[in-house]
Amino acid sequence: MRRCADGGDAPPGAALKDLGDLVVLPGLVDSHVHINEPGRTEWEGFETADTRGSAGGVTTLVDMPLNCVPETTNVKALEAKRAAAEGKAWVDWAAWGGVVRGNAESLPALVRAGVPGFKCFLIDSGVEDLRGWMRVSYG
Protein backbone atom coordinates (compact mmCIF):
# COMPACT_ATOMS: atom_id res chain seq x y z
CA MET A 1 0.00 0.00 0.00
CA ARG A 2 1.35 3.44 -0.92
CA ARG A 3 1.14 6.29 1.53
CA CYS A 4 0.83 9.97 0.76
CA ALA A 5 3.07 10.82 3.67
CA ASP A 6 4.79 9.00 6.45
CA GLY A 7 3.53 9.65 9.98
CA GLY A 8 6.89 11.26 10.69
CA ASP A 9 6.01 13.99 8.16
CA ALA A 10 3.10 15.25 10.28
CA PRO A 11 3.48 18.61 12.02
CA PRO A 12 4.46 18.38 15.69
CA GLY A 13 1.41 17.83 17.89
CA ALA A 14 -0.85 16.72 15.01
CA ALA A 15 -3.34 14.01 15.95
CA LEU A 16 -2.83 10.92 13.81
CA LYS A 17 -5.27 8.06 13.43
CA ASP A 18 -4.52 4.78 11.71
CA LEU A 19 -7.50 3.95 9.49
CA GLY A 20 -6.17 0.58 8.44
CA ASP A 21 -7.20 -0.29 4.89
CA LEU A 22 -9.69 2.57 4.57
CA VAL A 23 -9.01 5.21 1.94
CA VAL A 24 -9.43 8.89 2.71
CA LEU A 25 -10.22 10.99 -0.35
CA PRO A 26 -11.23 14.60 -0.91
CA GLY A 27 -14.89 15.23 -1.66
CA LEU A 28 -15.92 14.58 -5.25
CA VAL A 29 -17.39 17.16 -7.62
CA ASP A 30 -19.97 15.88 -10.10
CA SER A 31 -20.05 18.55 -12.78
CA HIS A 32 -22.75 16.92 -14.93
CA VAL A 33 -25.90 16.07 -13.02
CA HIS A 34 -29.52 16.46 -14.04
CA ILE A 35 -31.47 17.58 -11.02
CA ASN A 36 -34.79 17.82 -12.81
CA GLU A 37 -36.43 19.94 -10.14
CA PRO A 38 -38.53 22.01 -10.47
CA GLY A 39 -40.91 20.55 -13.00
CA ARG A 40 -39.75 16.97 -13.39
CA THR A 41 -39.00 16.03 -9.80
CA GLU A 42 -40.33 12.52 -10.36
CA TRP A 43 -37.27 11.89 -12.57
CA GLU A 44 -34.87 13.15 -9.92
CA GLY A 45 -35.03 16.05 -7.53
CA PHE A 46 -32.68 17.70 -5.07
CA GLU A 47 -33.46 15.24 -2.28
CA THR A 48 -32.54 12.15 -4.27
CA ALA A 49 -29.58 13.69 -6.14
CA ASP A 50 -28.19 15.15 -2.94
CA THR A 51 -28.57 12.14 -0.66
CA ARG A 52 -27.42 9.58 -3.23
CA GLY A 53 -24.46 11.70 -4.29
CA SER A 54 -23.32 12.47 -0.76
CA ALA A 55 -23.56 8.78 0.17
CA GLY A 56 -21.00 8.15 -2.56
CA GLY A 57 -18.63 10.91 -1.45
CA VAL A 58 -19.89 13.74 -3.64
CA THR A 59 -19.64 17.12 -1.92
CA THR A 60 -20.54 19.35 -4.88
CA LEU A 61 -23.12 18.95 -7.66
CA VAL A 62 -23.22 21.10 -10.80
CA ASP A 63 -26.63 20.88 -12.41
CA MET A 64 -27.17 20.86 -16.16
CA PRO A 65 -29.62 23.49 -17.45
CA LEU A 66 -32.01 21.10 -19.21
CA ASN A 67 -34.68 18.61 -18.19
CA CYS A 68 -36.03 20.89 -15.47
CA VAL A 69 -39.00 23.16 -16.01
CA PRO A 70 -38.10 25.95 -16.43
CA GLU A 71 -34.69 25.35 -17.97
CA THR A 72 -31.99 27.60 -16.48
CA THR A 73 -31.62 29.96 -19.43
CA ASN A 74 -32.35 33.17 -17.49
CA VAL A 75 -32.14 34.48 -13.93
CA LYS A 76 -35.85 33.92 -13.25
CA ALA A 77 -35.42 30.21 -14.02
CA LEU A 78 -32.24 30.08 -11.93
CA GLU A 79 -34.12 31.59 -8.99
CA ALA A 80 -36.86 28.96 -9.42
CA LYS A 81 -34.14 26.28 -9.26
CA ARG A 82 -32.70 27.83 -6.11
CA ALA A 83 -36.14 28.00 -4.50
CA ALA A 84 -36.69 24.32 -5.32
CA ALA A 85 -33.38 23.46 -3.62
CA GLU A 86 -34.24 25.32 -0.42
CA GLY A 87 -34.13 22.91 2.51
CA LYS A 88 -33.37 19.91 0.25
CA ALA A 89 -29.74 20.41 -0.76
CA TRP A 90 -27.17 19.49 1.86
CA VAL A 91 -24.11 19.40 -0.38
CA ASP A 92 -22.83 22.40 -2.31
CA TRP A 93 -24.42 22.84 -5.71
CA ALA A 94 -24.33 25.19 -8.65
CA ALA A 95 -26.28 25.42 -11.90
CA TRP A 96 -24.87 25.69 -15.38
CA GLY A 97 -26.64 28.30 -17.48
CA GLY A 98 -28.13 27.32 -20.82
CA VAL A 99 -27.38 29.04 -24.12
CA VAL A 100 -30.40 29.00 -26.42
CA ARG A 101 -31.50 31.00 -29.42
CA GLY A 102 -32.56 34.44 -28.32
CA ASN A 103 -31.13 34.48 -24.78
CA ALA A 104 -27.80 36.21 -25.41
CA GLU A 105 -28.99 39.20 -23.38
CA SER A 106 -29.62 36.87 -20.39
CA LEU A 107 -26.08 35.50 -20.22
CA PRO A 108 -24.37 38.42 -18.41
CA ALA A 109 -27.13 38.43 -15.78
CA LEU A 110 -26.71 34.67 -15.26
CA VAL A 111 -22.97 35.20 -14.72
CA ARG A 112 -23.69 37.95 -12.18
CA ALA A 113 -26.20 35.60 -10.50
CA GLY A 114 -23.45 33.01 -10.02
CA VAL A 115 -23.58 30.39 -12.76
CA PRO A 116 -20.06 28.98 -13.22
CA GLY A 117 -20.44 28.30 -16.96
CA PHE A 118 -22.81 27.48 -19.79
CA LYS A 119 -24.12 24.51 -21.77
CA CYS A 120 -24.88 24.84 -25.47
CA PHE A 121 -25.85 22.24 -28.05
CA LEU A 122 -24.44 22.74 -31.53
CA ILE A 123 -26.41 19.75 -32.82
CA ASP A 124 -29.88 18.44 -32.05
CA SER A 125 -29.93 17.59 -28.35
CA GLY A 126 -32.17 14.59 -28.88
CA VAL A 127 -34.64 15.93 -26.31
CA GLU A 128 -37.90 16.90 -27.98
CA ASP A 129 -38.78 19.48 -25.30
CA LEU A 130 -35.66 21.51 -26.09
CA ARG A 131 -36.90 23.15 -29.26
CA GLY A 132 -35.30 26.46 -28.28
CA TRP A 133 -31.80 25.06 -27.77
CA MET A 134 -29.32 26.37 -30.27
CA ARG A 135 -28.78 24.04 -33.18
CA VAL A 136 -26.52 24.35 -36.17
CA SER A 137 -27.40 22.50 -39.34
CA TYR A 138 -24.80 21.42 -41.84
CA GLY A 139 -26.21 21.10 -45.30
Side-chain angles (χ1 to χ4, degrees), residues 107-132:
L107 304 183
L110 281 165
V111 171
R112 288 190 299 275
V115 300
F118 293 90
K119 167 83 174 191
C120 175
F121 287 98
L122 297 180
I123 60 171
D124 188 330
S125 69
V127 178
E128 191 61 32
D129 290 347
L130 304 179
R131 298 183 203 288

PDB file of all heavy atoms in Angstrom, residues 107-132:
ATOM      1  N   LEU A 107     -27.313  36.143 -20.667  1.00  0.00           N
ATOM      2  CA  LEU A 107     -26.080  35.497 -20.221  1.00  0.00           C
ATOM      3  C   LEU A 107     -25.296  36.338 -19.211  1.00  0.00           C
ATOM      4  O   LEU A 107     -24.857  35.792 -18.184  1.00  0.00           O
ATOM      5  CB  LEU A 107     -25.221  35.103 -21.417  1.00  0.00           C
ATOM      6  CG  LEU A 107     -25.912  34.190 -22.449  1.00  0.00           C
ATOM      7  CD1 LEU A 107     -24.943  33.800 -23.549  1.00  0.00           C
ATOM      8  CD2 LEU A 107     -26.546  32.976 -21.804  1.00  0.00           C
ATOM      9  N   PRO A 108     -25.092  37.642 -19.435  1.00  0.00           N
ATOM     10  CA  PRO A 108     -24.368  38.422 -18.411  1.00  0.00           C
ATOM     11  C   PRO A 108     -25.066  38.405 -17.053  1.00  0.00           C
ATOM     12  O   PRO A 108     -24.406  38.319 -16.010  1.00  0.00           O
ATOM     13  CB  PRO A 108     -24.325  39.837 -18.998  1.00  0.00           C
ATOM     14  CG  PRO A 108     -24.445  39.644 -20.473  1.00  0.00           C
ATOM     15  CD  PRO A 108     -25.362  38.462 -20.625  1.00  0.00           C
ATOM     16  N   ALA A 109     -26.385  38.464 -17.038  1.00  0.00           N
ATOM     17  CA  ALA A 109     -27.130  38.433 -15.777  1.00  0.00           C
ATOM     18  C   ALA A 109     -26.965  37.076 -15.088  1.00  0.00           C
ATOM     19  O   ALA A 109     -26.863  37.007 -13.858  1.00  0.00           O
ATOM     20  CB  ALA A 109     -28.606  38.730 -16.016  1.00  0.00           C
ATOM     21  N   LEU A 110     -26.931  35.990 -15.850  1.00  0.00           N
ATOM     22  CA  LEU A 110     -26.706  34.668 -15.259  1.00  0.00           C
ATOM     23  C   LEU A 110     -25.314  34.586 -14.632  1.00  0.00           C
ATOM     24  O   LEU A 110     -25.150  34.015 -13.553  1.00  0.00           O
ATOM     25  CB  LEU A 110     -26.890  33.572 -16.311  1.00  0.00           C
ATOM     26  CG  LEU A 110     -28.328  33.196 -16.629  1.00  0.00           C
ATOM     27  CD1 LEU A 110     -28.415  32.378 -17.921  1.00  0.00           C
ATOM     28  CD2 LEU A 110     -28.953  32.428 -15.475  1.00  0.00           C
ATOM     29  N   VAL A 111     -24.322  35.171 -15.294  1.00  0.00           N
ATOM     30  CA  VAL A 111     -22.972  35.200 -14.720  1.00  0.00           C
ATOM     31  C   VAL A 111     -22.991  35.975 -13.406  1.00  0.00           C
ATOM     32  O   VAL A 111     -22.460  35.515 -12.386  1.00  0.00           O
ATOM     33  CB  VAL A 111     -21.958  35.820 -15.704  1.00  0.00           C
ATOM     34  CG1 VAL A 111     -20.616  36.063 -15.030  1.00  0.00           C
ATOM     35  CG2 VAL A 111     -21.784  34.927 -16.927  1.00  0.00           C
ATOM     36  N   ARG A 112     -23.610  37.145 -13.413  1.00  0.00           N
ATOM     37  CA  ARG A 112     -23.694  37.947 -12.176  1.00  0.00           C
ATOM     38  C   ARG A 112     -24.456  37.202 -11.080  1.00  0.00           C
ATOM     39  O   ARG A 112     -24.158  37.372  -9.902  1.00  0.00           O
ATOM     40  CB  ARG A 112     -24.351  39.301 -12.456  1.00  0.00           C
ATOM     41  CG  ARG A 112     -23.453  40.252 -13.232  1.00  0.00           C
ATOM     42  CD  ARG A 112     -24.027  41.659 -13.286  1.00  0.00           C
ATOM     43  NE  ARG A 112     -25.324  41.740 -13.935  1.00  0.00           N
ATOM     44  CZ  ARG A 112     -25.530  41.849 -15.242  1.00  0.00           C
ATOM     45  NH1 ARG A 112     -24.495  41.900 -16.064  1.00  0.00           N
ATOM     46  NH2 ARG A 112     -26.749  41.917 -15.724  1.00  0.00           N
ATOM     47  N   ALA A 113     -25.408  36.364 -11.468  1.00  0.00           N
ATOM     48  CA  ALA A 113     -26.200  35.603 -10.502  1.00  0.00           C
ATOM     49  C   ALA A 113     -25.453  34.371  -9.986  1.00  0.00           C
ATOM     50  O   ALA A 113     -25.934  33.696  -9.091  1.00  0.00           O
ATOM     51  CB  ALA A 113     -27.534  35.190 -11.117  1.00  0.00           C
ATOM     52  N   GLY A 114     -24.293  34.069 -10.568  1.00  0.00           N
ATOM     53  CA  GLY A 114     -23.453  33.014 -10.016  1.00  0.00           C
ATOM     54  C   GLY A 114     -23.295  31.729 -10.791  1.00  0.00           C
ATOM     55  O   GLY A 114     -22.690  30.791 -10.277  1.00  0.00           O
ATOM     56  N   VAL A 115     -23.817  31.639 -12.028  1.00  0.00           N
ATOM     57  CA  VAL A 115     -23.578  30.391 -12.759  1.00  0.00           C
ATOM     58  C   VAL A 115     -22.088  30.297 -13.105  1.00  0.00           C
ATOM     59  O   VAL A 115     -21.474  31.288 -13.480  1.00  0.00           O
ATOM     60  CB  VAL A 115     -24.464  30.228 -14.022  1.00  0.00           C
ATOM     61  CG1 VAL A 115     -25.935  30.237 -13.685  1.00  0.00           C
ATOM     62  CG2 VAL A 115     -24.143  31.258 -15.070  1.00  0.00           C
ATOM     63  N   PRO A 116     -21.495  29.114 -12.969  1.00  0.00           N
ATOM     64  CA  PRO A 116     -20.060  28.983 -13.224  1.00  0.00           C
ATOM     65  C   PRO A 116     -19.703  28.810 -14.696  1.00  0.00           C
ATOM     66  O   PRO A 116     -18.544  28.911 -15.069  1.00  0.00           O
ATOM     67  CB  PRO A 116     -19.679  27.726 -12.441  1.00  0.00           C
ATOM     68  CG  PRO A 116     -20.932  26.907 -12.443  1.00  0.00           C
ATOM     69  CD  PRO A 116     -22.062  27.894 -12.388  1.00  0.00           C
ATOM     70  N   GLY A 117     -20.704  28.530 -15.546  1.00  0.00           N
ATOM     71  CA  GLY A 117     -20.444  28.304 -16.958  1.00  0.00           C
ATOM     72  C   GLY A 117     -21.750  28.013 -17.675  1.00  0.00           C
ATOM     73  O   GLY A 117     -22.831  28.097 -17.088  1.00  0.00           O
ATOM     74  N   PHE A 118     -21.628  27.639 -18.947  1.00  0.00           N
ATOM     75  CA  PHE A 118     -22.809  27.475 -19.795  1.00  0.00           C
ATOM     76  C   PHE A 118     -22.756  26.185 -20.598  1.00  0.00           C
ATOM     77  O   PHE A 118     -21.682  25.709 -20.951  1.00  0.00           O
ATOM     78  CB  PHE A 118     -22.935  28.657 -20.763  1.00  0.00           C
ATOM     79  CG  PHE A 118     -23.241  29.942 -20.067  1.00  0.00           C
ATOM     80  CD1 PHE A 118     -22.222  30.762 -19.632  1.00  0.00           C
ATOM     81  CD2 PHE A 118     -24.548  30.309 -19.810  1.00  0.00           C
ATOM     82  CE1 PHE A 118     -22.498  31.938 -18.954  1.00  0.00           C
ATOM     83  CE2 PHE A 118     -24.841  31.473 -19.129  1.00  0.00           C
ATOM     84  CZ  PHE A 118     -23.813  32.298 -18.704  1.00  0.00           C
ATOM     85  N   LYS A 119     -23.948  25.671 -20.911  1.00  0.00           N
ATOM     86  CA  LYS A 119     -24.116  24.506 -21.770  1.00  0.00           C
ATOM     87  C   LYS A 119     -24.789  24.974 -23.054  1.00  0.00           C
ATOM     88  O   LYS A 119     -25.739  25.756 -23.016  1.00  0.00           O
ATOM     89  CB  LYS A 119     -25.018  23.477 -21.068  1.00  0.00           C
ATOM     90  CG  LYS A 119     -25.540  22.356 -21.925  1.00  0.00           C
ATOM     91  CD  LYS A 119     -24.549  21.247 -22.069  1.00  0.00           C
ATOM     92  CE  LYS A 119     -25.167  20.076 -22.826  1.00  0.00           C
ATOM     93  NZ  LYS A 119     -24.358  18.905 -22.766  1.00  0.00           N
ATOM     94  N   CYS A 120     -24.293  24.489 -24.175  1.00  0.00           N
ATOM     95  CA  CYS A 120     -24.876  24.836 -25.469  1.00  0.00           C
ATOM     96  C   CYS A 120     -24.782  23.618 -26.380  1.00  0.00           C
ATOM     97  O   CYS A 120     -23.742  22.968 -26.429  1.00  0.00           O
ATOM     98  CB  CYS A 120     -24.101  25.998 -26.083  1.00  0.00           C
ATOM     99  SG  CYS A 120     -24.617  26.425 -27.746  1.00  0.00           S
ATOM    100  N   PHE A 121     -25.869  23.304 -27.057  1.00  0.00           N
ATOM    101  CA  PHE A 121     -25.852  22.239 -28.053  1.00  0.00           C
ATOM    102  C   PHE A 121     -25.602  22.850 -29.417  1.00  0.00           C
ATOM    103  O   PHE A 121     -26.276  23.808 -29.803  1.00  0.00           O
ATOM    104  CB  PHE A 121     -27.199  21.500 -28.106  1.00  0.00           C
ATOM    105  CG  PHE A 121     -27.447  20.616 -26.930  1.00  0.00           C
ATOM    106  CD1 PHE A 121     -28.226  21.056 -25.877  1.00  0.00           C
ATOM    107  CD2 PHE A 121     -26.900  19.341 -26.874  1.00  0.00           C
ATOM    108  CE1 PHE A 121     -28.470  20.243 -24.789  1.00  0.00           C
ATOM    109  CE2 PHE A 121     -27.135  18.523 -25.792  1.00  0.00           C
ATOM    110  CZ  PHE A 121     -27.916  18.975 -24.745  1.00  0.00           C
ATOM    111  N   LEU A 122     -24.673  22.291 -30.160  1.00  0.00           N
ATOM    112  CA  LEU A 122     -24.445  22.736 -31.530  1.00  0.00           C
ATOM    113  C   LEU A 122     -25.082  21.774 -32.526  1.00  0.00           C
ATOM    114  O   LEU A 122     -25.028  21.999 -33.726  1.00  0.00           O
ATOM    115  CB  LEU A 122     -22.952  22.890 -31.802  1.00  0.00           C
ATOM    116  CG  LEU A 122     -22.274  23.959 -30.941  1.00  0.00           C
ATOM    117  CD1 LEU A 122     -20.782  24.032 -31.278  1.00  0.00           C
ATOM    118  CD2 LEU A 122     -22.931  25.317 -31.105  1.00  0.00           C
ATOM    119  N   ILE A 123     -25.650  20.701 -32.005  1.00  0.00           N
ATOM    120  CA  ILE A 123     -26.411  19.754 -32.815  1.00  0.00           C
ATOM    121  C   ILE A 123     -27.722  19.498 -32.077  1.00  0.00           C
ATOM    122  O   ILE A 123     -27.903  19.921 -30.940  1.00  0.00           O
ATOM    123  CB  ILE A 123     -25.647  18.431 -33.049  1.00  0.00           C
ATOM    124  CG1 ILE A 123     -25.342  17.733 -31.706  1.00  0.00           C
ATOM    125  CG2 ILE A 123     -24.377  18.678 -33.830  1.00  0.00           C
ATOM    126  CD1 ILE A 123     -24.788  16.332 -31.855  1.00  0.00           C
ATOM    127  N   ASP A 124     -28.620  18.786 -32.695  1.00  0.00           N
ATOM    128  CA  ASP A 124     -29.880  18.444 -32.051  1.00  0.00           C
ATOM    129  C   ASP A 124     -29.586  17.713 -30.750  1.00  0.00           C
ATOM    130  O   ASP A 124     -28.823  16.755 -30.715  1.00  0.00           O
ATOM    131  CB  ASP A 124     -30.696  17.552 -32.990  1.00  0.00           C
ATOM    132  CG  ASP A 124     -32.104  17.305 -32.488  1.00  0.00           C
ATOM    133  OD1 ASP A 124     -32.325  17.302 -31.265  1.00  0.00           O
ATOM    134  OD2 ASP A 124     -32.991  17.117 -33.326  1.00  0.00           O
ATOM    135  N   SER A 125     -30.198  18.173 -29.667  1.00  0.00           N
ATOM    136  CA  SER A 125     -29.935  17.593 -28.345  1.00  0.00           C
ATOM    137  C   SER A 125     -30.543  16.210 -28.188  1.00  0.00           C
ATOM    138  O   SER A 125     -30.168  15.491 -27.270  1.00  0.00           O
ATOM    139  CB  SER A 125     -30.503  18.512 -27.266  1.00  0.00           C
ATOM    140  OG  SER A 125     -31.915  18.501 -27.317  1.00  0.00           O
ATOM    141  N   GLY A 126     -31.495  15.866 -29.013  1.00  0.00           N
ATOM    142  CA  GLY A 126     -32.173  14.588 -28.877  1.00  0.00           C
ATOM    143  C   GLY A 126     -33.327  14.621 -27.890  1.00  0.00           C
ATOM    144  O   GLY A 126     -33.999  13.630 -27.689  1.00  0.00           O
ATOM    145  N   VAL A 127     -33.548  15.775 -27.264  1.00  0.00           N
ATOM    146  CA  VAL A 127     -34.638  15.931 -26.310  1.00  0.00           C
ATOM    147  C   VAL A 127     -35.699  16.807 -26.960  1.00  0.00           C
ATOM    148  O   VAL A 127     -35.473  17.982 -27.232  1.00  0.00           O
ATOM    149  CB  VAL A 127     -34.142  16.566 -24.988  1.00  0.00           C
ATOM    150  CG1 VAL A 127     -35.291  16.758 -24.018  1.00  0.00           C
ATOM    151  CG2 VAL A 127     -33.057  15.700 -24.371  1.00  0.00           C
ATOM    152  N   GLU A 128     -36.844  16.213 -27.243  1.00  0.00           N
ATOM    153  CA  GLU A 128     -37.897  16.898 -27.983  1.00  0.00           C
ATOM    154  C   GLU A 128     -38.344  18.209 -27.337  1.00  0.00           C
ATOM    155  O   GLU A 128     -38.669  19.169 -28.013  1.00  0.00           O
ATOM    156  CB  GLU A 128     -39.101  15.960 -28.162  1.00  0.00           C
ATOM    157  CG  GLU A 128     -40.143  16.473 -29.130  1.00  0.00           C
ATOM    158  CD  GLU A 128     -39.627  16.667 -30.548  1.00  0.00           C
ATOM    159  OE1 GLU A 128     -38.746  15.910 -30.972  1.00  0.00           O
ATOM    160  OE2 GLU A 128     -40.109  17.598 -31.231  1.00  0.00           O
ATOM    161  N   ASP A 129     -38.331  18.266 -26.001  1.00  0.00           N
ATOM    162  CA  ASP A 129     -38.779  19.480 -25.304  1.00  0.00           C
ATOM    163  C   ASP A 129     -37.854  20.670 -25.504  1.00  0.00           C
ATOM    164  O   ASP A 129     -38.222  21.796 -25.191  1.00  0.00           O
ATOM    165  CB  ASP A 129     -38.892  19.222 -23.796  1.00  0.00           C
ATOM    166  CG  ASP A 129     -40.047  18.295 -23.471  1.00  0.00           C
ATOM    167  OD1 ASP A 129     -40.888  18.054 -24.357  1.00  0.00           O
ATOM    168  OD2 ASP A 129     -40.095  17.820 -22.333  1.00  0.00           O
ATOM    169  N   LEU A 130     -36.658  20.442 -26.002  1.00  0.00           N
ATOM    170  CA  LEU A 130     -35.664  21.507 -26.091  1.00  0.00           C
ATOM    171  C   LEU A 130     -35.655  22.170 -27.456  1.00  0.00           C
ATOM    172  O   LEU A 130     -34.621  22.380 -28.055  1.00  0.00           O
ATOM    173  CB  LEU A 130     -34.275  20.961 -25.755  1.00  0.00           C
ATOM    174  CG  LEU A 130     -34.163  20.292 -24.397  1.00  0.00           C
ATOM    175  CD1 LEU A 130     -32.770  19.760 -24.183  1.00  0.00           C
ATOM    176  CD2 LEU A 130     -34.546  21.252 -23.295  1.00  0.00           C
ATOM    177  N   ARG A 131     -36.805  22.553 -27.930  1.00  0.00           N
ATOM    178  CA  ARG A 131     -36.902  23.151 -29.257  1.00  0.00           C
ATOM    179  C   ARG A 131     -36.125  24.461 -29.352  1.00  0.00           C
ATOM    180  O   ARG A 131     -35.668  24.833 -30.406  1.00  0.00           O
ATOM    181  CB  ARG A 131     -38.362  23.398 -29.611  1.00  0.00           C
ATOM    182  CG  ARG A 131     -39.178  22.141 -29.682  1.00  0.00           C
ATOM    183  CD  ARG A 131     -40.606  22.452 -30.121  1.00  0.00           C
ATOM    184  NE  ARG A 131     -41.548  21.442 -29.711  1.00  0.00           N
ATOM    185  CZ  ARG A 131     -41.627  20.237 -30.227  1.00  0.00           C
ATOM    186  NH1 ARG A 131     -40.814  19.868 -31.165  1.00  0.00           N
ATOM    187  NH2 ARG A 131     -42.532  19.379 -29.787  1.00  0.00           N
ATOM    188  N   GLY A 132     -35.998  25.179 -28.250  1.00  0.00           N
ATOM    189  CA  GLY A 132     -35.297  26.463 -28.278  1.00  0.00           C
ATOM    190  C   GLY A 132     -33.805  26.368 -28.205  1.00  0.00           C
ATOM    191  O   GLY A 132     -33.110  27.360 -28.392  1.00  0.00           O
TER     192      GLY A 132
END
